[in-house]
Amino acid sequence: MWGIIATWRMALEGVSGAARMLVEGESAGDAVEAAVRKVEDFPYYKSVGFGGLPNAEGDVELDAGFMDGDTLAFGSVGALKDFANPVSIARALSQTTANCVLMGEGAEKYAARQGFERKTMLTDRARIRYMNRLKTDGGTAIHTDLKPYAGHDTVGMVCLDAKGTIASATSTSGLFMKRPGRIGDSPICGAGLYADSCRGGATVTGLGEDCMRGCISYEVVRLMGEGLRPQEACEQAVAALDEKLRRVRGSAGDLSIVAMNAQGAWGAATNIDGFSFVVATEELAPVVYVAERQGSHTVYQPATKAWLDEYMTARTAPVELI
Ligand code: SD4
């Protein structure tokens, strides 16, 4: 059995390509890296890779992580500027025995030494959104109460190949107008992603600071290891962290998680409405689902054609200076 599950509609083309690779017997690591690169390269997604929204100083700083569930090898980069495919740098780092989590300048030096492609990641569209935001915020660049904005779409994927290897990967530009140097959950092992080929993998999208507080990807894998089905594990972990955050902090940020176990069964849970995700397995052609919270449960259905059309129309609409 092979399978792949990923956060947000944006993953569809990458997941479809990965599914073809998995049919051909390629590895989970190769498939998930190729799938995430596809999202990073698409300029209309404003929260991953090329076209990602900048930080408070107008610089695009990218976070990405990669984990191999056979060996627990983990690599990540944070606040990385001017490289085309952070996920590939994270994967290369996962193959080193130490120094495998690098941030900022150190990550850039490593990427340059390894010959990764340099690229200016700020697009005209992203620059216009930044200028507009400065205007609507009266020129205040630094925010202390950043929230994920509508259309905040960190890509996270969990992939199982026919040999039983699970790999997970993430990539994001993080929160729009974040402080320079801010790292979210996406490059943090156990928070943004986790993979263990004996139990399963999970990856999350949402408010990074809150995702980290619950080490939520690890928690879902841990629950699957105790025998919970992926759907139960996702729902239980999201409901527990959401409840705890509300109780001890007064509010909970967005938390949306997807998971797949070692048998290729999958699940998803969210504490918001309108969380989309993509799944493909040996038995299921790539499909986009749209999920919503119902109490402590999550329900989802395949996206309608109208929903899919509107998604792309919104992302590719012209952006103008205000
Ligand atoms: C972050 N978790 O940097 C990311 C943002 C995100 O969908 O997931 N957006 O906090």
Side-chain angles (χ1 to χ4, degrees):
M1 178 65 144
W2 56 260
I4 178 164
I5 186 163
T7 57
W8 306 108
R9 148 68 186 89
M10 66 183 352
L12 178 61
E13 289 74 16
V15 164
S16 303
R20 290 190 289 274
M21 292 173 71
L22 293 162
V23 169
E24 297 297 321
E26 292 194 49
S27 72
D30 287 350
V32 84
E33 180 187 353
V36 171
R37 285 177 67 104
K38 190 122 192 142
V39 187
E40 290 177 336
D41 289 342
F42 190 68
Y44 289 96
Y45 296 141
K46 60 182 193 287
S47 46
V48 176
F50 185 56
L53 289 172
N55 66 16
E57 293 182 355
D59 293 322
V60 179
E61 289 189 339
L62 302 170
D63 295 347
F66 178 92
M67 186 161 188
D68 176 334
D70 281 354
T71 58
L72 306 187
F74 180 80
S76 69
V77 290
L80 176 89
K81 288 189 212 165
D82 297 330
F83 280 90
N85 293 110
V87 71
S88 296
I89 304 167
R91 188 179 184 197
L93 281 165
S94 77
Q95 286 150 1
T96 63
T97 46
N99 296 286
C100 45
V101 177
L102 297 179
M103 305 288 140
E105 206 185 314
E108 288 149 19
K109 281 188 182 159
Y110 171 83
R113 249 192 336 267
Q114 298 297 313
F116 283 99
E117 183 194 347
R118 281 184 187 276
K119 186 169 173 178
T120 301
M121 300 301 270
L122 184 65
T123 59
D124 287 344
R125 292 169 67 82
R127 188 181 294 111
I128 291 171
R129 287 186 200 275
Y130 173 73
M131 303 301 287
N132 288 349
R133 179 71 179 258
L134 284 183
K135 226 180 236 170
T136 54
D137 287 358
T140 324
I142 299 285
H143 290 255
T144 50
D145 61 343
L146 280 180
K147 298 183 178 65
Y149 42 94
H152 72 87
D153 301 353
T154 288
V155 72
M157 304 197 188
V158 178
C159 184
L160 166 71
D161 67 26
K163 293 200 177 109
T165 296
I166 290 179
S168 301
T170 54
S171 186
T172 187
S173 54
L175 300 184
F176 187 22
M177 305 305 266
K178 63 190 180 182
R179 287 181 201 273
R182 180 263 189 189
I183 307 291
D185 57 302
S186 306
I188 308 290
C189 186
L193 71 166
Y194 200 77
D196 175 347
S197 299
C198 299
R199 298 185 284 179
T203 183
V204 69
T205 173
L207 181 63
E209 287 72 7
D210 277 354
C211 301
M212 284 191 247
R213 291 183 222 284
C215 299
I216 191 163
S217 293
Y218 180 75
E219 177 63 4
V220 167
V221 173
R222 188 188 71 77
L223 290 169
M224 292 194 292
E226 307 236 302
L228 267 66
R229 308 251 326 142
Q231 185 60 33
E232 294 167 332
C234 289
E235 287 186 359
Q236 190 167 311
V238 167
L241 182 57
D242 182 78
E243 187 279 323
K244 172 97 184 180
L245 290 168
R246 284 176 203 279
R247 184 156 44 83
V248 302
R249 301 183 60 78
S251 66
D254 292 8
L255 306 169
S256 302
I257 194 152
V258 296
M260 184 167 279
N261 70 12
Q263 290 71 46
W266 52 271
T270 184
N271 66 352
I272 62 168
D273 288 341
F275 167 56
S276 59
F277 62 96
V278 186
V279 191
T281 70
E282 214 166 307
E283 294 155 358
L284 180 70
V287 53
V288 178
Y289 288 96
V290 184
E292 65 183 57
R293 165 193 199 144
Q294 270 188 13
S296 58
H297 295 288
T298 293
V299 293
Y300 38 83
Q301 48 203 354
T304 60
K305 177 162 182 330
W307 188 97
L308 290 167
D309 289 347
E310 151 57 24
Y311 184 95
M312 261 314 164
T313 307
R315 287 190 173 53
T316 54
V319 183
E320 267 152 38
L321 265 179
I322 54 173

